[in-house]
Amino acid sequence: MYFILSTIPDKKYKHKRKVKKLPKVEDKIIRYCLVTIWALLIVFGVITLIQPTWLQSISNPGRDIEADNFRNMGDYALKHGNYKAAIHLYTQALKVKPDMAEAHINLAITYSKMREYDKAIFIFKEFLKQESRFSYVIYYNLAEIYENIGDIDKAIVNYTKSAEAVPYAINRYQKIGKLHLKRKEWDLAINAFQKALDNKFDIETAYRGMLKKALHTYSTHPEITEIINELLLQEDSKEIQKHYDSTLFQKMLDKDIELAKIHNNIGYAYFMKGNLQNAISHFRMSLKIWPGYKHAKNNLKTAIAQEKGEN
């Protein structure tokens, strides 16, 4: 405790005592508060650098919203062909949330649209190392890039990987078949188109496709994926059809233009092999689905004429 000494002269001494001025209580309190504030600033300065878990958990919801906003604006820019803006926005989204799958994939797609294929391939491959849930999307886009630059072998490899992972593989096998047609690899083309037909959209493939898609969606929930895998092993076509009305699916198949194109393509491959019987059968199937399909009409006419000439 500080005491203030009296300034009244002491009778025993001729001179005044020199009084040492001591700091006031208020001054000490102010100094203490200032030091405390500086200490807190330093501590929070360190926190912003090291990002402790508890601070990250507080900011995660806000970060997700901010990243989603950047990604949504990037998607809009990509859709409308504003590629430079899309790249900037996807990059901002990834700064906020580095593991955002949609931003990674769409950033690579944007570079691909700009024909900056090396950048697109690098992003796709790097992200594939981190995230396998969207492998079928990445492999498909890689295949399209390789097809565009004329590397058909790599295109076929990546379309095949995508087909093996995707819930609905018909489009992938159709693309593989077309690439084999370009290279005049008739047997390989027939094989690919047949796989496309095997994966046509019906009750069974729709059901199994949704289960496979669910495997990707719930890949981080082992208790759910275990149930899905059991369903994939147990359910067969007859059991599935007991639960669903097949009429709608059959009507869709009867008028599916893509199926008509596949039948025409496989028919062409058979025709080039000299197997006119199978060629004519597929051309007719194509026209049954799509009666106005000119390519199939012309191909059927040519095949029948050649068959008659041989006879």
Side-chain angles (χ1 to χ4, degrees):
M1 185 175 180
Y2 293 102
F3 294 93
I4 299 176
L5 299 178
S6 174
T7 56
I8 300 174
D10 194 329
K11 294 180 180 179
K12 293 183 180 180
Y13 302 98
K14 295 180 180 180
H15 304 286
K16 293 179 180 180
R17 291 182 180 179
K18 292 182 179 180
V19 179
K20 186 178 180 180
K21 292 183 179 180
L22 299 175
K24 294 180 180 180
V25 175
E26 291 85 351
D27 292 338
K28 288 209 68 177
I29 293 172
I30 290 170
R31 283 201 300 272
Y32 175 79
C33 291
L34 287 172
V35 170
T36 304
I37 290 169
W38 279 109
L40 288 172
L41 288 173
I42 292 169
V43 169
F44 276 96
V46 173
I47 285 172
T48 57
L49 291 175
I50 62 176
Q51 288 290 305
T53 306
W54 64 268
L55 189 60
Q56 288 180 7
S57 64
I58 292 173
S59 61
N60 274 341
R63 286 172 61 250
D64 290 346
I65 292 171
E66 185 180 4
D68 283 339
N69 287 337
F70 280 125
R71 194 258 301 169
N72 288 332
M73 289 188 290
D75 290 348
Y76 182 85
L78 173 60
K79 183 179 179 180
H80 290 83
N82 193 349
Y83 300 137
K84 289 185 178 179
I87 288 171
H88 172 72
L89 290 162
Y90 289 135
T91 302
Q92 291 300 113
L94 291 170
K95 284 181 180 179
V96 178
K97 191 176 179 183
D99 60 345
M100 178 176 267
E102 298 88 347
H104 276 286
I105 292 171
N106 289 351
L107 176 61
I109 290 173
T110 306
Y111 278 121
S112 178
K113 294 283 187 182
M114 297 174 71
R115 297 187 180 181
E116 295 189 34
Y117 296 126
D118 289 340
K119 290 181 180 179
I121 290 170
F122 177 80
I123 294 170
F124 278 133
K125 287 186 175 181
E126 285 300 305
F127 186 63
L128 191 59
K129 294 176 185 177
Q130 306 169 31
E131 178 63 79
S132 61
R133 284 183 302 156
F134 303 98
S135 61
Y136 62 94
V137 177
I138 296 172
Y139 284 131
Y140 183 85
N141 282 285
L142 282 171
E144 284 198 326
I145 291 173
Y146 287 126
E147 184 178 357
N148 288 336
I149 63 178
D151 194 336
I152 303 303
D153 287 332
K154 286 185 179 178
I156 290 172
V157 167
N158 282 278
Y159 278 134
T160 302
K161 288 181 178 179
S162 180
E164 291 170 350
V166 75
Y168 307 105
I170 182 171
N171 176 257
R172 273 70 171 175
Y173 286 121
Q174 189 174 3
K175 282 185 170 287
I176 294 167
K178 287 180 179 179
L179 291 176
H180 286 305
L181 282 184
K182 286 182 180 179
R183 296 168 73 165
K184 299 181 180 181
E185 297 169 341
W186 313 124
D187 286 328
L188 292 174
I190 291 168
N191 183 58
F193 288 128
Q194 188 58 55
K195 285 184 178 179
L197 292 175
D198 292 341
N199 283 273
K200 65 181 181 292
F201 191 72
D202 57 15
I203 289 179
E204 186 173 2
T205 54
Y207 178 78
R208 292 188 180 280
M210 290 305 297
L211 289 177
K212 289 178 181 178
K213 191 173 182 179
L215 280 176
H216 294 290
T217 305
Y218 299 104
S219 60
T220 57
H221 299 78
E223 69 283 1
I224 298 177
T225 56
E226 184 180 353
I227 295 170
I228 295 171
N229 280 317
E230 287 179 0
L231 289 172
L232 282 168
L233 290 172
Q234 292 174 5
E235 295 285 1
D236 58 33
S237 180
K238 291 180 180 179
E239 287 298 317
I240 294 169
Q241 290 182 28
K242 288 180 181 178
H243 304 290
Y244 302 96
D245 182 5
S246 62
T247 306
L248 178 62
F249 284 90
Q250 193 57 50
K251 285 183 178 180
M252 290 172 62
L253 286 175
D254 290 344
K255 301 298 179 183
D256 190 344
I257 290 175
E258 290 305 312
L259 281 181
K261 291 178 179 179
I262 294 171
H263 279 291
N264 179 64
N265 286 329
I266 197 171
Y268 178 77
Y270 275 120
F271 176 82
M272 296 305 295
K273 278 191 67 178
N275 189 334
L276 296 177
Q277 186 176 356
N278 279 337
I280 291 171
S281 174
H282 281 284
F283 292 145
R284 283 175 173 163
M285 181 61 70
S286 177
L287 289 169
K288 182 179 179 182
I289 297 170
W290 184 9
Y293 190 15
K294 290 183 180 180
H295 289 296
K297 281 183 179 180
N298 293 334
N299 288 338
L300 177 61
K301 184 178 179 180
T302 302
I304 290 174
Q306 186 164 325
E307 185 182 43
K308 287 179 178 179
E310 288 181 355
N311 293 335

